[in-house]
Amino acid sequence: MSAFDSLLLQKWEAARDAGLFNYQVNHVETKLLPGKFRIVAQMNTKRKTMRRKPEQITSVKQPFNPEKFNFTNIKKEEILAKLHYKQNCSKITDCEGMADGDKTLEGSLAINNAPICYSHSLILPFLSQCRPQVIDDEFLRVAFHTILLSQTPDFRIAYNSLGGCASVNHLHIHVYYLPYQLYIETAECQKLAGPCYTFKDYHAPGFVFQLENGDVDELIRSLVIVVKLFLEEEMAHNMYITRGTYLDSNSPDGRYSTIRVILWARKPSYGIKNVLDFAAAACELAGHVPIYSYDCWHSLSEEEIIPITRTVCEESFSAMVPKVVSLFSKYSNSTLT
């Protein structure tokens, strides 16, 4: 593990021991569901009953409302560390040792006091600026620099848009460690247009990108193009970032040589989020499914989950495919680079 991995886990465990969480997730019951997609299910009934009430959402571009709960209201003890990123590298840096010109990207590492599993935390980019839960290039830069700080494929990043099961309209991403392989890490993909791929066969169809030649800027530009389209179309979306194999070919030796980014267009979930057995958000679409009902847990199967995830994103995906193709056809390689 990297220095960042060790820092996150040590700080998270200290917060747990200090009683800062609403409930404990030391031993979350886990099972791998039989079936092609190797879905990882975890039992967590307390996530449903012991979390703060989600905010009412009406639009993917809903403005930040200072009268609603936001992360400036959390206890200072819930902030585990302050992260400062230089534009041209990924490392943990002491703020006092940086030149003023380098202090362009920042994030607060905080606990999620209603965690889905061990290590579940939040990165809060530009916390004091009170930005709404909307992706932009700076947000993506913080996300990618964060995953590059880690050295283990167990480290995951998940993002839910407004209308895509986000509970708080204050910019944040979920980070956690999951020591199980997900199908999406090695799933075969086919090129759609430009740098954008799609899964050849997956129960939650989405748009797939990868980090090529370490070029974070190129990856960010590609994603921003698609996210802007989603925002213009008022299309709710989820994003998941994890290490994996190259999209062009499944590595025969199983080597993880890139970072995969999956962006799902999805059926909107407006109003106050109502979680029943599970919520089909970023983690669930990625194949990691926290379950909130004992009745559902005992009978759970891949066949039960797949129709729900397909319903959430299949129609939206089909509607966006020609628009995404058209978008990338307008941009030559020189424009993207």
Side-chain angles (χ1 to χ4, degrees):
M1 299 190 106
S2 69
F4 170 78
D5 295 317
S6 299
L7 172 74
L8 192 159
L9 294 175
Q10 289 169 6
K11 294 282 190 178
W12 190 92
E13 290 178 356
R16 175 199 61 193
D17 297 343
L20 294 177
F21 294 95
N22 294 351
Y23 52 84
Q24 296 293 315
V25 286
N26 295 334
H27 305 289
V28 175
E29 188 176 355
T30 303
K31 60 184 176 184
L32 308 181
L33 302 185
K36 176 178 180 178
F37 298 112
R38 306 192 301 270
I39 292 173
V40 179
Q42 293 187 313
M43 185 67 213
N44 188 343
T45 57
K46 293 180 179 178
R47 168 81 170 165
K48 177 180 177 181
T49 59
M50 298 180 69
R51 63 181 303 184
R52 68 175 62 91
K53 185 178 179 181
E55 184 175 343
Q56 172 138 357
I57 304 300
T58 59
S59 166
V60 296
K61 296 177 285 190
Q62 187 167 314
F64 176 86
N65 184 347
E67 301 301 318
K68 301 290 186 180
F69 169 82
N70 63 77
F71 295 113
T72 65
N73 304 136
I74 64 177
K75 302 172 185 175
K76 66 177 183 179
E77 293 85 3
E78 295 184 27
I79 303 292
L80 304 181
K82 297 290 182 69
L83 304 176
H84 297 270
Y85 309 81
K86 290 185 178 181
Q87 289 277 23
N88 60 351
C89 64
S90 301
K91 61 176 69 174
I92 301 174
T93 13
D94 181 350
C95 184
E96 293 180 0
M98 295 172 64
D100 290 339
D102 290 329
K103 298 177 187 178
T104 54
L105 296 175
E106 62 180 55
S108 298
L109 174 63
I111 66 167
N112 186 319
N113 65 8
I116 59 174
C117 61
Y118 171 81
S119 76
H120 182 195
S121 305
L122 301 171
I123 300 288
L124 311 173
F126 317 104
L127 173 60
S128 62
Q129 295 181 20
C130 295
R131 300 185 184 188
Q133 181 70 346
V134 176
I135 290 176
D136 61 15
D137 58 343
E138 289 188 324
F139 168 83
L140 289 170
R141 195 170 299 279
V142 167
F144 290 124
H145 281 314
T146 300
I147 197 169
L148 290 170
L149 286 170
S150 173
Q151 290 181 355
T152 169
D154 294 349
F155 185 70
R156 325 290 180 151
I157 290 180
Y159 167 87
N160 300 317
S161 80
L162 301 175
C165 292
S167 298
V168 179
N169 186 15
H170 189 181
L171 194 58
H172 65 283
I173 49 178
H174 299 269
V175 298
Y176 66 102
Y177 296 85
L178 184 72
Y180 300 92
Q181 187 184 70
L182 298 175
Y183 183 85
I184 60 169
E185 297 170 28
T186 59
E188 289 189 64
C189 297
Q190 56 196 4
K191 180 164 282 197
L192 178 67
C196 183
Y197 291 72
T198 58
F199 293 117
K200 286 187 176 180
D201 182 17
Y202 187 56
H203 62 88
F207 302 98
V208 190
F209 298 82
Q210 66 183 347
L211 179 63
E212 298 189 59
N213 302 316
D215 194 339
V216 172
D217 291 339
E218 178 78 3
L219 178 55
I220 289 172
R221 279 190 283 267
S222 300
L223 287 166
V224 166
I225 288 171
V226 179
V227 171
K228 283 183 176 178
L229 170 67
F230 288 176
L231 294 172
E232 290 168 2
E233 297 283 333
E234 195 66 38
M235 176 64 71
H237 46 284
N238 304 102
M239 181 177 68
Y240 200 83
I241 306 174
T242 189
R243 282 179 165 80
T245 55
Y246 275 116
L247 303 180
D248 306 276
S249 61
N250 202 358
S251 304
D253 59 359
R255 183 176 300 166
Y256 281 18
S257 304
T258 190
I259 291 171
R260 289 185 169 204
V261 185
I262 303 91
L263 193 59
W264 288 279
R266 47 116 8 97
K267 184 180 293 186
S269 176
Y270 289 134
I272 295 176
K273 181 170 65 175
N274 182 22
V275 176
L276 299 175
D277 294 334
F278 72 93
C283 294
E284 292 79 2
L285 296 179
H288 172 214
V289 184
I291 299 295
Y292 308 129
S293 160
Y294 280 113
D295 292 338
C296 175
W297 178 255
H298 295 302
S299 63
L300 191 64
S301 68
E302 184 178 276
E303 289 73 23
E304 285 183 89
I305 290 174
I306 288 175
I308 296 172
T309 55
R310 285 196 191 281
T311 299
V312 164
C313 56
E314 195 167 51
E315 186 176 326
S316 299
F317 171 77
S318 297
M320 288 294 106
V321 163
K323 296 181 180 183
V324 170
V325 171
S326 176
L327 264 183
F328 283 112
S329 70
K330 296 177 182 177
Y331 292 87
S332 64
N333 290 335
S334 60
T335 302
L336 285 173
T337 57

